[in-house]
Amino acid sequence: MKQTLTSVAGALALAITVSTPASAGGLVNSAVNDWTGGAVMCEIVHQILENEMDFKVKRIVMPSGPGRDEAIRAGDLDYGCELWPSYSTTIQKYVTEFGGDGSMLKVADAGVIGVSSYYVPRYMVEGDNAPAPDLKSWENMNQYADLFKTLETGDKGRLLGCPAASWQCEDNKRMELLGLNYEAVELGSEAAHWAEMQAAYKRQEPFIAYAWEPHWIHAALDLVKVELPAHSDDKWPATGWAEDVTFNYANPEFAEKNPEVIELLNNFRLTNEMQAPMILEVDVDGKDMEEVVAAWLDNNEDTWKAWMPK
Amino acid sequence: MRLRNNNAATYHGFDYRKANLTITAAADNSADASINKVPLNKGLVSFRGYNLTIPVFIAIGVLISLAVYSLAANRFPFPQMVIDAFPFADWINDGRVWLEANLKTYTRAVAEVVKVPLEWLEETLWTLPWTVVLLLLVIPALAYGGLKLGLLTFFGVLFWGMVDMWYEAMSTLSLMAVSVAFSAILGVMLGIIASQSDRFDAFIKPILDTMQTMPAFVYLIPAIFFFGVGATPAAMAIIIYALPPAVRLTNLGIRQVPATMVEAAQSFGSSRLQMLFKVKLPQALPSIMLGVNQCIMMGLGLAVLAVFIGGGGLGEQIWKALTRLKVGWAFEGGISIVFMAIIFDRLSYAISGVAKDQTRHVGPLFRLLPQKWDQNSLAKAIERPIGALCDLFNNIGAKLTSLVATPLRFIVPGIANVFSNRPLLIPGLLILIAVYFLATQFKWMNSYPRELEFSIREPIDFAINWLTVNPTFIGITKGIRSIVFLYFLDPLDSFLTGLPWWYVMGLLGLIVWKSTTMRFAVVTTTFLVFLAAAGLWEISMFTLAGTSVSVAICMLLGVPLGILAAYFKPVDSVLRPILDAMQTLPAFVYLIPALFFFGGNKTTAVIATVIYAIPPVIRLTTLGLRQLPTEVNEVAGSFGSGPLQTLLKVKLPMASPSIMLGLNQAVVFALAMQAITPLVAGLGLGKEVYDAMSTADMGKGLTAGIGIVLLTILLDRLTQGWTQNQQKALGL
């Protein structure tokens, strides 16, 4: 019976769907980042494509990483926003600028510049009862290692390192080379990493953790950077991270066929300062991301009008 | 090998469990024959009438192992030379590249077949008024499952709108409907073939075993390469992943048709095909439907994980919530999935006709409240108007049906039967059409009105937050964490990884030989050599340690809880829905609270595993005790045995096969969870699988996946061997 009902309903619905007008600009499949900053970035492009350029956008949300890059190479996804070069294991294989075969096209810098480092909560370094007032640079880390001791790490301090080995942060190597009495633990997923930090923060417990900016965690928790030695390729990983000049990327065939989309992506720039308030509104105030972006577009017409393809 | 997703067993009592037990027996008949020879119940060592052979052997084994550990700890890593000569993961990746180059056009063409109905259905469900979709699900639920299922479906579907996940639920619904339809058709066809050819059956059985124990993530990695990303590849992965139960249960159902029935049909001269389609298939229908039901439950599990390849729907909501640590949001998505699972499960169960209640009631038929309350006057007072209303509707329905069906009979002969067997069909259709047109007039009937939204995020977030900072609660969680880590996990980890590999292989081989057969002991050792050569020895030992600790905790907590539930009805009725939810709630949902409370470490992974794997232990303990004949109490009582003595000396030993089956299920469930726990710092083979998923490394994923499969098969057979030995010792 269910089947009969479904087919009747289906027939009814078909009548409706047939009358939907087709999009003039065509359909694009966009890779939507699963973190707010990157998602905001893409959403701006989507809304411009939909409202101003008559495109229909299919938003496909999946964790970023090699799987998504494979999909862009294969043409299952047309473009993606805000790729962080430090954490991509595939750009050296696919992006020409990084020595790859060109099966993934770097369109242009996205505007966001990423900074990664170790962070501690402000209550640890500031205030009258702050347990580690001098913990602002790596040189003083050993002095406070005792504060971070746990069951699992024994005598060493516990550093919440990069959550996934595939990001190649080499936290433990860094500790060894810098002679720091810490053990970096890997929590497996970003979600676990932030959850651990947030729970410790709520309980005002000491922790030292890897993090980066821009990120919503800084809107939720008041964190202070621990300075690492300036980045150098030769001494890596005994140094801090290089700045991440993020970029937007696309499937080369799609780029050839849709020059106007590529021109938009090419002109598009969203700096850290422009992105941060939107992240705050979505993740801290709990607003709907589409609405936040729509409001931004309303208020910044001059900015995005300049990005439009000529 | 048993079905991994045992949810179904939770809802309907005995039938499902029996089916599962039969599957076990059928799947492992090869091992059965030789188990008879195992001389475990001879009782070499005994003390005051207790057979202490096994404890003594275990004690000796532990002592020898400790001695070996103190002499040779960490001095025998598996030879790197062998590992270098066996780059299994690279071979798989090379094979993948070749297959991708040569097969991709074909796999894409196959995916198109799924894509067309999937996109059509999704679009349809998105555009249909929500009231129409609601009725499309509620009417069949009413027709097949009565008022209770109808109401449950109504609230379940309403919930999707309430928490503002209507469209996501529609996407998941269409993904599920299309992939389960394909999977079931394909599975039933393969099952029919397997039932007709012993050769094909023997060929497909190990493949099905492997498929059912392979972590779900492993199905998603090749999907990226061969089918792309989005809903269609997710559907392809689900079709393949959910296939085994349909094949297995179709095969089983057909093979179990009573011989007398087959003979009778033969004596009437039916051909082989006639026999199959007219006698065997109809007889096997309940079993086939059970297979479809299991197929649905497995499919839902993967539908959530499919977010890793852009599958969308409710899984995407849960993932977004998870990455932003919004626990309440994740719970809303998770509960939406639980409702979908329960609706699908009970509806398919009701449609299959297996649930038909054969017992006759003496008093009035209860439609909403439990039938066993039919002596209670308050319950009767509540039921009376409900019953009258139902009768009224049924009468109107019957009148309408005959009104429409009578003229139709002249146009299409035979159609009257279709209608008269389904009294709700015509009225249902009429209501649907009416609502459909009304929805064009009234906005609130067309898209779910915002005023009716009712978010439960804030109270959940508040509760979780309160617990996170509550010093007493965190003190308790820290205590648990320290005990588990210091006394169980850490010692076992260093013990297993420190022991020489050849010693562990030999010891496991010996245990398997003593518990099952020589042949399987050889197979086991081959498994272990493969794991070591693939470079997975140490992490396999981590997995073994983590799983053992999780299962031990499951037994320590689950058996007492099961006993309590068997003795005290209220405990049982409180536990039941909690266990249901624990098994259907996507693990993603409770990982973050687990992290908030226990922190990111191996112990949290163990706790998450316990949450997932404990329900079968509790259930099967309760079941085992309840199944005992009532005379047991009387006989034991007449010998002057108190209730506690009866429990410990009579009932528990008699229920031990069922409890052992619970252990076996816990092992299989715990291993299935291993690929999820890396999200909260779990280590071992599961982490390899998870990392492979996030780096799209098929070779690594498949190798570690095979590792999990091998460990599952090993532990599954081993615990099954124990169950059977126990049964034999009791003369069952």
Side-chain angles (χ1 to χ4, degrees):
Chain A
M1 181 175 99
K2 197 180 159 198
Q3 275 143 6
T4 332
L5 295 180
T6 323
S7 55
V8 170
L12 293 171
L14 195 64
I16 312 166
T17 48
V18 165
S19 57
T20 320
S23 231
L27 176 76
V28 295
N29 293 303
S30 159
V32 178
N33 292 320
D34 61 352
W35 72 93
T36 311
V40 161
M41 199 84 148
C42 268
E43 187 57 28
I44 293 175
V45 178
H46 297 156
Q47 292 196 8
I48 297 175
L49 281 175
E50 284 177 331
N51 302 338
E52 309 293 324
M53 293 164 69
D54 269 346
F55 275 90
K56 217 178 150 186
V57 181
K58 191 165 175 189
R59 298 159 169 82
I60 296 175
V61 180
M62 64 185 280
S64 59
R68 203 174 77 177
D69 296 347
E70 291 293 341
I72 288 187
R73 275 182 78 218
D76 293 314
L77 293 172
D78 295 326
Y79 63 85
C81 313
E82 204 187 301
L83 188 87
W84 288 54
S86 300
Y87 304 100
S88 171
T89 45
T90 39
I91 52 172
Q92 285 84 359
K93 262 154 82 186
Y94 302 142
V95 182
T96 320
E97 285 82 347
F98 297 88
D101 61 8
S103 54
M104 218 164 81
L105 175 77
K106 174 179 172 179
V107 179
D109 292 346
V112 162
I113 299 199
V115 186
S116 310
S117 190
Y118 298 135
Y119 291 82
V120 289
R122 192 174 294 279
Y123 57 72
M124 287 195 72
V125 290
E126 281 171 27
D128 295 338
N129 296 321
D134 294 329
L135 190 54
K136 291 190 173 160
S137 159
W138 68 274
E139 284 142 323
N140 299 330
M141 269 170 74
N142 269 346
Q143 193 182 324
Y144 299 111
D146 278 357
L147 284 173
F148 304 102
K149 278 201 298 198
T150 60
L151 279 179
E152 290 87 355
T153 54
D155 289 339
K156 293 183 169 186
R158 176 179 188 252
L159 167 77
L160 275 174
C162 274
S166 56
W167 294 6
Q168 299 171 338
C169 291
E170 311 209 40
D171 296 303
N172 272 324
K173 196 86 200 275
R174 180 172 300 107
M175 293 303 107
E176 193 191 315
L177 291 172
L178 294 176
L180 296 174
N181 190 25
Y182 284 77
E183 185 180 326
V185 294
E186 191 185 299
L187 293 194
S189 69
E190 249 188 270
H193 189 79
W194 309 127
E196 174 89 353
M197 284 167 73
Q198 200 169 60
Y201 192 93
K202 279 184 182 157
R203 296 195 283 261
Q204 303 277 299
E205 290 170 350
F207 67 87
I208 175 163
Y210 157 87
W212 66 87
E213 292 174 71
H215 193 280
W216 64 262
I217 196 76
H218 300 284
L221 320 178
D222 191 0
L223 302 176
V224 181
K225 199 193 283 178
V226 177
E227 291 298 338
L228 287 169
H231 176 79
S232 123
D233 279 337
D234 306 330
K235 290 184 188 153
W236 176 264
T239 69
W241 283 260
E243 276 189 341
D244 260 294
V245 183
T246 67
F247 60 87
N248 298 327
Y249 55 122
N251 175 285
E253 267 176 55
F254 169 82
E256 219 165 274
K257 287 184 194 144
N258 297 276
E260 66 277 35
V261 179
I262 296 303
E263 201 180 330
L264 172 68
L265 281 174
N266 202 13
N267 299 339
F268 171 88
R269 289 285 183 289
L270 196 75
T271 60
N272 298 19
E273 292 72 29
M274 291 154 86
Q275 202 191 50
M278 282 188 270
I279 297 178
L280 189 78
E281 281 184 62
V282 174
D283 279 322
V284 181
D285 304 341
K287 288 187 193 161
D288 194 43
M289 189 189 63
E290 282 81 17
E291 286 164 17
V292 170
V293 168
W296 185 89
L297 287 168
D298 279 346
N299 298 330
N300 296 275
E301 210 163 302
D302 293 344
T303 317
W304 63 261
K305 277 269 159 74
W307 301 336
M308 294 293 287
K310 301 289 169 318
Chain B
M1 190 74 25
R2 204 151 301 100
L3 298 170
R4 180 190 308 164
N5 196 324
N6 222 11
N7 301 327
T10 64
Y11 306 126
H12 317 293
F14 287 86
D15 308 53
Y16 278 65
R17 293 196 187 91
K18 268 191 207 145
N20 273 343
L21 289 170
T22 348
I23 299 159
T24 319
D28 300 298
N29 45 13
S30 57
D32 281 346
S34 31
I35 278 171
N36 297 333
K37 296 169 201 151
V38 182
L40 269 176
N41 48 347
K42 260 192 193 162
L44 288 173
V45 188
S46 62
F47 175 71
R48 282 193 191 173
Y50 287 99
N51 178 357
L52 291 181
T53 318
I54 297 172
V56 167
F57 271 127
I58 292 175
I60 295 173
V62 169
L63 283 177
I64 296 177
S65 303
L66 284 172
V68 172
Y69 183 78
S70 63
L71 287 175
N74 302 321
R75 283 176 44 202
F76 294 93
F78 194 78
Q80 189 63 35
M81 206 177 68
V82 180
I83 297 172
D84 290 339
F86 187 66
F88 188 70
D90 294 343
W91 295 340
I92 292 177
N93 279 335
D94 292 345
R96 194 265 297 160
V97 171
W98 185 86
L99 283 174
E100 199 187 342
N102 291 285
L103 276 183
K104 204 169 163 182
T105 14
Y106 304 105
T107 53
R108 294 283 166 138
V110 174
E112 281 301 306
V113 178
V114 175
K115 186 179 181 178
V116 174
L118 180 60
E119 288 190 344
W120 173 81
L121 186 61
E122 189 174 11
E123 184 110 30
T124 306
L125 288 177
W126 273 52
T127 38
L128 274 180
W130 73 277
T131 40
V132 171
V133 177
L134 177 73
L135 287 173
L136 273 175
L137 289 166
V138 170
I139 291 172
L142 275 174
Y144 288 102
L147 186 61
K148 255 186 267 183
L149 185 57
L151 280 177
L152 181 76
T153 309
F154 179 80
F155 284 114
V157 175
L158 205 64
F159 186 82
W160 302 335
M162 263 166 50
V163 297
D164 193 18
M165 292 195 187
W166 182 262
Y167 293 100
E168 287 79 8
M170 291 303 106
S171 295
T172 302
L173 198 60
S174 52
L175 177 66
M176 284 299 299
V178 171
S179 31
V180 168
F182 275 97
S183 194
I185 292 169
L186 208 62
V188 169
M189 278 177 4
L190 286 172
I192 293 175
I193 300 174
S195 73
Q196 299 304 300
S197 152
D198 287 339
R199 252 186 167 171
F200 184 71
D201 188 29
F203 163 76
I204 205 166
K205 212 169 248 172
I207 301 179
L208 296 179
D209 278 358
T210 310
M211 283 174 73
Q212 272 189 291
T213 39
M214 186 67 86
F217 275 132
V218 178
Y219 289 79
L220 297 176
I221 311 173
I224 292 180
F225 293 105
F226 296 107
F227 306 118
V229 293
T232 310
M236 298 303 293
I238 294 173
I239 292 171
I240 299 169
Y241 176 69
L243 204 56
V247 182
R248 236 181 242 284
L249 281 154
T250 305
N251 181 14
L252 184 77
I254 295 176
R255 280 172 186 268
Q256 276 187 340
V257 173
T260 45
M261 202 168 275
V262 176
E263 273 166 34
Q266 265 164 352
S267 68
F268 285 108
S270 39
S271 71
R272 196 179 161 145
L273 275 184
Q274 272 178 326
M275 172 89 79
L276 178 60
F277 287 101
K278 300 240 159 117
V279 180
K280 287 186 171 175
L281 270 182
Q283 280 294 315
L285 205 59
S287 177
I288 295 175
M289 284 309 293
L290 177 60
V292 173
N293 169 296
Q294 293 285 338
C295 183
I296 294 170
M297 301 315 275
M298 289 188 73
L300 262 178
L302 192 57
V304 175
L305 296 181
V307 63
F308 279 84
I309 57 170
L314 292 169
E316 182 185 310
Q317 286 290 312
I318 297 173
W319 180 254
K320 277 184 180 167
L322 181 81
T323 52
R324 290 164 178 78
L325 312 182
K326 308 280 187 193
V327 179
W329 181 5
F331 263 96
E332 285 181 351
I335 296 170
S336 300
I337 286 277
V338 170
F339 273 123
M340 199 177 280
I342 293 178
I343 292 170
F344 270 140
D345 176 60
R346 301 209 177 164
L347 191 58
S348 64
Y349 187 70
I351 292 175
S352 73
V354 190
K356 285 275 154 51
D357 199 351
Q358 301 296 343
T359 49
R360 302 293 316 155
H361 307 295
V362 186
L365 179 68
F366 271 22
R367 289 185 163 84
L368 194 63
L369 301 171
Q371 189 68 43
K372 58 175 182 268
W373 294 357
D374 60 7
Q375 298 307 318
N376 183 310
S377 54
L378 177 68
K380 269 197 264 186
I382 297 172
E383 277 288 335
R384 203 167 300 130
I386 298 174
L389 262 176
C390 285
D391 290 339
L392 182 70
F393 276 113
N394 282 343
N395 281 337
I396 298 175
K399 293 240 168 63
L400 261 174
T401 305
S402 64
L403 202 69
V404 178
T406 317
L408 261 181
R409 194 180 320 175
F410 298 105
I411 309 166
V412 193
I415 201 157
N417 276 340
V418 177
F419 289 129
S420 58
N421 289 340
R422 296 170 176 79
L424 280 176
L425 183 55
I426 299 265
L429 277 175
L430 290 177
I431 294 174
L432 262 181
I433 294 168
V435 168
Y436 183 81
F437 283 104
L438 281 175
T440 54
Q441 300 302 313
F442 299 102
K443 203 168 167 287
W444 69 268
M445 288 176 82
N446 194 23
S447 53
Y448 192 90
R450 281 215 156 180
E451 302 80 65
L452 288 183
E453 278 176 14
F454 180 78
S455 177
I456 52 169
R457 285 176 201 190
E458 275 172 25
I460 292 176
D461 283 336
F462 179 81
I464 300 282
N465 199 10
W466 183 79
L467 284 173
T468 307
V469 294
N470 184 299
T472 321
F473 181 71
I474 292 305
I476 295 170
T477 61
K478 285 206 167 137
I480 295 173
R481 178 184 147 191
S482 320
I483 292 168
V484 171
F485 180 77
L486 288 176
Y487 301 108
F488 293 92
L489 202 51
D490 197 40
L492 197 58
D493 259 355
S494 14
F495 188 53
L496 282 181
T497 49
L499 280 174
W501 57 273
W502 41 264
Y503 177 77
V504 177
M505 280 184 193
L507 186 66
L508 277 175
L510 189 71
I511 295 173
V512 170
W513 177 38
K514 281 294 167 197
S515 313
T516 64
T517 63
M518 184 66 208
R519 207 185 75 183
F520 192 60
V522 174
V523 174
T524 300
T525 321
T526 319
F527 283 174
L528 294 172
V529 172
F530 168 85
L531 283 179
L536 297 174
W537 183 255
E538 196 179 346
I539 54 176
S540 300
M541 291 302 110
F542 276 134
T543 303
L544 200 57
T547 316
S548 310
V549 171
S550 313
V551 171
I553 297 174
C554 284
M555 296 305 283
L556 283 176
L557 294 178
V559 172
L561 276 174
I563 295 173
L564 279 180
Y567 276 78
F568 305 103
K569 274 272 159 63
V571 178
D572 190 36
S573 40
V574 170
L575 269 179
R576 233 162 226 281
I578 297 177
L579 296 184
D580 278 2
M582 272 159 87
Q583 283 194 303
T584 32
L585 198 66
F588 278 176
V589 173
Y590 52 76
L591 289 182
I592 294 298
L595 256 165
F596 280 160
F597 304 152
F598 292 95
N601 51 68
K602 288 190 278 190
T603 318
T604 310
V606 165
I607 286 158
T609 309
V610 170
I611 295 177
Y612 185 69
I614 202 171
V617 178
I618 301 177
R619 287 213 168 95
L620 282 157
T621 305
T622 311
L623 181 76
L625 289 172
R626 288 249 174 96
Q627 265 178 340
L628 296 179
T630 42
E631 297 89 69
V632 170
N633 276 330
E634 291 160 24
V635 173
S638 69
F639 282 104
S641 154
L644 189 66
Q645 257 185 322
T646 313
L647 173 69
L648 291 178
K649 298 214 168 160
V650 183
K651 286 186 158 187
L652 275 184
M654 282 182 78
S656 58
S658 181
I659 298 173
M660 292 301 274
L661 185 62
L663 168 74
N664 166 288
Q665 291 283 289
V667 167
V668 175
F669 276 50
L671 278 159
M673 186 69 181
Q674 290 310 304
I676 309 285
T677 55
L679 275 159
V680 290
L683 290 175
L685 291 168
K687 176 147 176 60
E688 291 282 299
V689 171
Y690 181 79
D691 281 351
M693 175 68 242
S694 47
T695 53
D697 186 338
M698 190 165 138
K700 186 175 171 177
L702 201 58
T703 314
I706 292 172
I708 291 188
V709 169
L710 296 184
L711 281 186
T712 313
I713 292 178
L714 166 62
L715 294 178
D716 178 58
R717 292 280 157 92
L718 193 60
T719 44
Q720 262 177 40
W722 294 343
T723 313
Q724 280 156 353
N725 291 335
Q726 195 64 33
Q727 279 170 339
K728 214 142 288 142
L730 291 169
L732 291 172

